[in-house]
Amino acid sequence: MCYLLQMEEEYQVTLRTSPSPSAGTYNLVLVTLIGTRNVSPTITVGDGQTFTPGSVITIRLQPEKPLGHMVLVRLRLERRPGFPDLDWHCQWVDVTRLGPSGAGKSTDRFHCDKWLQTADGDVELRNGHVYTVNEESLNILKNHRAQQLQTRQHLFRWCTFAEGIPRCVDMRNLQHLGPNLSYTHQSPGVNLQYLRGFGDYAMSWSSLEDLELLFAYNSQENIIAKFVQAHWKEDPFFGYQCLNGCNPLVLRRVQQVPPNMAVTADMLHPFFSEGSSLQQEMERGSIFLLDYEVLEGVPANLINGKQQYLAAPLCLLHYDHQGALKPIAIQLQQTPGPQNPVFIPSDSEPDWLLAKTWVRCADFQCHQLISHFLRTHLLGEVCCIATLRQLPEIHPLYQVLMPHVRTTLQINIQARTSLLAPGGVFDKSIGCGLEGIKVLLRRATERLHYRSLCVPDDLEDRGVAALPNSYYAQDALKVWAALHRFVSDWVDTYYTSDSSVHQDVELQNWIQDIFSQGFLGLTHTGFPQSFKTKMELSKFVTMVIFACTALHAAVNFSQLDFNLWMPNSPATMRRPPPQAKGLVTMQDLLSILPDVNATCSVLATLSLLSQPSKDFIPLCQYREEYFSSGPPKRLVEALQKELKSISIDITKRNRFLELPYLYLYPERIENSVAI
Ligand SMILES: *[C@@H]1O[C@H](CO)[C@@H](O)[C@H](O)[C@H]1NC(C)=O
Ligand SMILES: *[C@@H]1O[C@H](CO)[C@@H](O)[C@H](O)[C@H]1NC(C)=O
Ligand SMILES: *[C@@H]1O[C@H](CO)[C@@H](O)[C@H](O)[C@H]1NC(C)=O
Ligand SMILES: [Fe+2]
């Protein structure tokens, strides 16, 4: 009797190929079911069936011995004789245990959502529920987790790109990355027609009119760039850019003039309204500072055979009663002295404009290398590597993080082999060249504080959120809050208590890897080294998602807009910072700004980086299977609603602005760092 029942055990197995056009394969797929008690015989699927895109193949399988509970599905690709070996993108496998009558009893879904290759050998999928390691009761599944991490730790190793900066992935080219982490950036193509042909013009621009002509051809539909070109010399626009330009991360409120800035109250007196003083304005909270100390001592590049120059300026700004933020004092080097004058708005027009331009050039270096590369690209890569090495796929945080960091390895490998390599744009055209990059990034890493990456802390520390025209700050706070709620709910769903966070060994290894490899064990930076509470964990994960999505959008989307009119953000300066006042004319400015071909190569690069991708995935519009049902689905729906209402708020606010702030529209934020 018993024997008969066992003979009747039967399973229906359904294999789903992903719908994308290249997902299908000619290969055969070997399927084995693994239960708690026994392993089924292996059967070959593909004789008479085709794994075409979007197809579903169903087979029946009768084990000889009862399997017990289904725990794993083992797949293996084998070459079909006479056909090429194509990778297969499997979406999922369903396994249904059939009752005696052949009716389905219960179905388990085994998510795959990955590329499988013949070279992989056996690949074992587990069913769709996510677990932390402590909830794992079966040894076979504990082993499965451990094995997956072992394989990944072998595949994704840490490597040093430059001493003192976050470590990166040990891969020199994209082939090693494999299909799971690769993507194609499909773009409609960018028109570089009017930036080409200047390749060997290693000479100064001969007039501002020539620059205007170049600009007219290249800014055709860019309303923001045109606004920049019209207002770049104006003090309030200089201040506006510190709040809402491509690098809104440097400005901070100060309670005193930095001791190394040779500014006196008398000097600044004329710029305050009747009866006010520097002291009173400080107390009112309306004095701000830009400090590019991080650039001090960074060696400058050699461009077209000529020495270039960098400065490490300090700039004081005043938020006046009309609501304009204006620069009131600029000192170009950190150490005060007779050869380091403090420029003020009442200096001659060329002196003051040149001083502001030096600040903008310093900002260009810090924007590209620190705000953009370090704080979004490198941070994303660190978290991606740690996630691959320390969290198995079945871990709840792997699921929520991977969609945001998945593309960082590819884009950063590409950046290291092109933009940041010998002969690349930094080497050929930017003030901070290959040698300078390493020094600047090392200094910036030492100065990178955890608080500065967490939006509410950062804005509080810098005192900029309360300014009514601080649009980056307003929008960033809203997006952060929405992400933080989502992540906290996610963490609540999978961790019942603080101690379950504390006891999750995989999670602790993850943050330890990030701290020691990514942030080089620098304790003064305030980065967490372990998680004791759900709150600490939620904050950290929010920070990672924000940096890879919203922050990247704020510093990336904006770069062409604010840099296309080159004098607004020169990438290099060809003469040393002035050591006295009254020595330059407007005409001299052109002999200080970048050469013609260096200008065009920077603009061409920025244009290339500005191509919208055809497969752009907006913020948190997850395409992964895991988000399509159960708690993840509910949480994502709630988040989407909130993002939608943020978007409506932004539209309302922008309606009244001369220059709308568009970069943090949730639907314009890309879900990961892909360019
Ligand atoms: C893609 O992911 C699957 C499942 O984790 C893995 O077996 C396979 O080796 C991966 N492929 C590559 C090339 O990394
Ligand atoms: C600019 O032109 C000079 C001289 O022809 C050339 O050596 C240099 O590589 C060019 N620079 C760029 C960025 O194209
Ligand atoms: C980067 O900015 C450009 C616009 O300058 C945009 O087209 C592109 O999609 C942005 N990329 C991301 C990942 O936000
Ligand atoms: Fe980028």
Side-chain angles (χ1 to χ4, degrees):
M1 186 65 195
C2 194
Y3 173 77
L4 261 175
L5 269 179
Q6 283 178 10
M7 284 303 290
E8 275 171 19
E9 188 169 78
E10 190 177 16
Y11 289 85
Q12 177 177 300
V13 181
T14 306
L15 301 131
R16 156 87 175 177
T17 301
S18 302
S20 81
S22 60
T25 181
Y26 288 124
N27 287 324
L28 304 170
V29 179
L30 276 56
V31 181
T32 315
L33 304 183
I34 300 169
T36 41
R37 294 176 60 192
N38 285 300
V39 174
S40 79
T42 298
I43 57 167
T44 303
V45 187
D47 278 330
Q49 295 121 327
T50 52
F51 291 95
T52 48
S55 64
V56 167
I57 297 178
T58 299
I59 51 144
R60 293 218 172 170
L61 193 152
Q62 250 177 351
E64 287 146 18
K65 294 188 213 150
L67 299 182
H69 292 295
M70 276 293 309
V71 285
L72 294 168
V73 171
R74 181 182 295 155
L75 303 175
R76 176 202 273 277
L77 253 59
E78 222 160 65
R79 185 124 182 213
R80 185 193 295 268
F83 283 84
D85 177 4
L86 296 181
D87 297 344
W88 179 44
H89 200 272
C90 168
Q91 195 166 8
W92 45 253
V93 177
D94 273 355
V95 180
T96 307
R97 186 169 167 194
L98 301 176
S101 61
K105 273 182 165 170
S106 64
T107 300
D108 279 312
R109 173 152 297 184
F110 296 77
H111 292 294
C112 183
D113 240 344
K114 294 253 162 24
W115 288 101
L116 303 184
Q117 306 176 299
T118 48
D120 291 342
D122 289 341
V123 176
E124 288 169 359
L125 309 178
R126 47 181 301 175
N127 74 20
H129 306 287
V130 303
Y131 292 110
T132 59
V133 64
N134 298 329
E135 293 161 326
E136 206 75 88
S137 52
L138 298 170
N139 271 333
I140 181 170
L141 292 179
K142 281 186 193 158
N143 291 339
H144 182 251
R145 285 177 100 98
Q147 245 165 33
Q148 194 174 57
L149 294 183
Q150 211 177 6
T151 310
R152 295 241 207 76
Q153 286 172 12
H154 179 72
L155 237 57
F156 302 96
R157 292 173 313 268
W158 294 102
C159 146
T160 300
F161 172 61
E163 282 308 322
I165 77 167
R167 302 189 77 198
C168 63
V169 71
D170 187 13
M171 282 182 192
R172 297 283 135 83
N173 64 57
L174 293 181
Q175 280 86 57
H176 298 140
L177 200 53
N180 295 331
L181 294 162
S182 304
Y183 63 95
T184 39
H185 182 84
Q186 292 191 335
S187 75
V190 60
N191 187 357
L192 294 180
Q193 163 101 335
Y194 304 110
L195 290 170
R196 291 220 181 92
F198 294 95
D200 54 359
Y201 291 26
M203 59 194 68
S204 293
W205 288 97
S206 56
S207 66
L208 222 46
E209 288 72 38
D210 280 2
L211 261 170
E212 280 163 10
L213 196 69
L214 178 85
F215 178 78
Y217 277 88
N218 288 289
S219 65
Q220 295 174 30
E221 262 136 47
N222 194 328
I223 296 164
I224 299 183
K226 286 181 181 163
F227 189 96
V228 173
Q229 199 259 331
H231 298 277
W232 70 289
K233 286 184 190 167
E234 298 164 15
D235 287 354
F237 183 69
F238 180 98
Y240 172 90
Q241 294 191 77
C242 305
L243 293 170
N244 308 311
C246 57
N247 191 17
L249 307 182
V250 183
L251 188 78
R252 58 173 58 243
R253 171 179 281 155
V254 285
Q255 305 300 335
Q256 59 186 46
V257 175
N260 60 335
M261 199 175 181
V263 165
T264 62
D266 284 349
M267 233 164 109
L268 300 182
H269 199 73
F271 309 114
F272 304 127
S273 57
E274 227 32 62
S276 191
S277 67
L278 182 59
Q279 193 51 39
Q280 277 173 357
E281 294 300 320
M282 293 268 187
E283 281 161 17
R284 201 167 70 89
S286 51
I287 301 294
F288 292 83
L289 176 72
L290 298 169
D291 187 352
Y292 297 93
E293 177 271 337
V294 68
L295 276 163
E296 196 181 23
V298 173
N301 207 356
L302 211 63
I303 296 178
N304 293 340
K306 284 170 288 188
Q307 182 63 49
Q308 309 291 301
Y309 299 89
L310 292 168
L314 292 146
C315 173
L316 276 187
L317 297 96
H318 176 227
Y319 184 75
D320 71 17
H321 291 274
Q322 284 75 49
L325 181 69
K326 294 193 281 198
I328 51 171
I330 295 172
Q331 178 183 302
L332 296 179
Q333 301 289 13
Q334 293 285 313
T335 311
Q339 271 144 39
N340 188 16
V342 175
F343 295 91
I344 51 179
S346 53
D347 289 340
S348 74
E349 191 194 348
D351 273 353
W352 182 235
L353 183 60
L354 181 60
K356 286 191 291 178
T357 305
W358 269 105
V359 177
R360 298 291 309 150
C361 176
D363 196 69
F364 181 98
Q365 322 299 321
C366 293
H367 166 250
Q368 288 299 348
L369 290 163
I370 304 174
S371 301
H372 188 184
F373 187 60
L374 174 64
R375 295 169 75 108
T376 72
H377 282 251
L378 280 183
L379 183 112
E381 180 173 3
V382 161
C383 294
C384 181
I385 301 170
T387 304
L388 290 164
R389 290 172 56 87
Q390 306 297 350
L391 301 179
E393 259 167 66
I394 206 71
H395 196 284
L397 288 175
Y398 180 97
Q399 293 303 326
V400 79
L401 279 163
M402 216 48 198
H404 302 289
V405 296
R406 196 180 60 85
T407 51
T408 54
L409 301 188
Q410 173 172 332
I411 188 69
N412 288 359
I413 292 171
Q414 284 172 328
R416 284 188 285 268
T417 54
S418 60
L419 300 183
L420 300 171
V425 70
F426 277 91
D427 188 17
K428 301 275 288 184
S429 310
I430 296 180
C432 194
L434 299 190
E435 202 193 333
I437 286 174
K438 297 193 174 174
V439 179
L440 180 59
L441 286 174
R442 175 165 50 71
R443 289 173 62 94
T445 304
E446 283 165 6
R447 286 159 181 74
L448 187 67
H449 284 271
Y450 181 46
R451 281 182 68 84
S452 76
L453 287 162
C454 299
V455 174
D457 297 340
D458 174 50
L459 294 176
E460 186 188 320
D461 292 350
R462 296 195 294 117
V464 292
L467 297 183
N469 53 350
S470 197
Y471 311 122
Y472 162 78
Q474 291 168 6
D475 298 354
L477 273 174
K478 287 182 189 153
V479 174
W480 172 280
L483 290 174
H484 190 245
R485 241 185 308 277
F486 167 69
V487 172
S488 303
D489 289 346
W490 186 277
V491 166
D492 276 342
T493 308
Y494 300 103
Y495 292 94
T496 50
S497 62
D498 287 344
S499 70
S500 58
V501 166
H502 193 58
Q503 285 159 12
D504 183 345
V505 180
E506 290 169 345
L507 181 68
Q508 301 295 345
N509 287 341
W510 179 73
I511 190 63
Q512 189 55 47
D513 222 10
I514 291 175
F515 178 73
S516 63
Q517 306 296 320
F519 302 107
L520 309 172
L522 298 169
T523 45
H524 73 269
T525 56
F527 277 93
Q529 308 177 40
S530 66
F531 294 121
K532 292 178 195 65
T533 63
K534 294 203 279 186
M535 223 159 72
E536 289 174 354
L537 171 60
S538 302
K539 183 174 179 177
F540 189 84
V541 172
T542 306
M543 182 280 286
V544 175
I545 298 179
F546 185 90
C548 294
T549 60
L551 183 58
H552 187 255
V555 300
N556 161 71
F557 264 116
S558 50
Q559 54 186 345
L560 192 59
D561 297 347
F562 285 88
N563 293 349
L564 197 54
W565 175 245
M566 178 274 276
N568 184 53
S569 309
T572 186
M573 297 289 259
R574 290 188 289 146
R575 286 218 232 141
Q579 300 189 340
K581 297 188 184 186
L583 300 178
V584 287
T585 64
M586 284 311 250
Q587 196 51 37
D588 291 332
L589 209 57
L590 293 171
S591 65
I592 301 172
L593 292 174
D595 280 338
V596 173
N597 71 354
T599 304
C600 293
S601 83
V602 170
L603 293 183
T605 303
L606 293 179
S607 304
L608 281 173
L609 294 180
S610 294
Q611 299 176 83
S613 168
K614 271 203 210 141
D615 33 21
F616 182 100
I617 302 175
L619 180 60
C620 297
Q621 309 222 344
Y622 300 103
R623 304 205 173 150
E624 290 76 7
E625 258 320 288
Y626 272 95
F627 296 86
S628 64
S629 62
K633 182 167 188 231
R634 276 200 314 280
L635 298 184
V636 171
E637 280 168 0
L639 171 64
Q640 286 305 335
K641 244 199 199 139
E642 211 173 337
L643 293 176
K644 188 89 206 103
S645 87
I646 292 175
S647 171
I648 292 169
D649 288 350
I650 295 178
T651 303
K652 277 193 199 140
R653 192 252 342 261
N654 281 349
R655 216 176 284 148
F656 302 101
L657 299 183
E658 191 179 10
L659 196 58
Y661 188 77
L662 307 167
Y663 307 116
L664 290 183
Y665 260 121
E667 65 269 31
R668 287 191 173 210
I669 297 175
E670 190 158 8
N671 213 22
S672 64
V673 177
I675 191 148

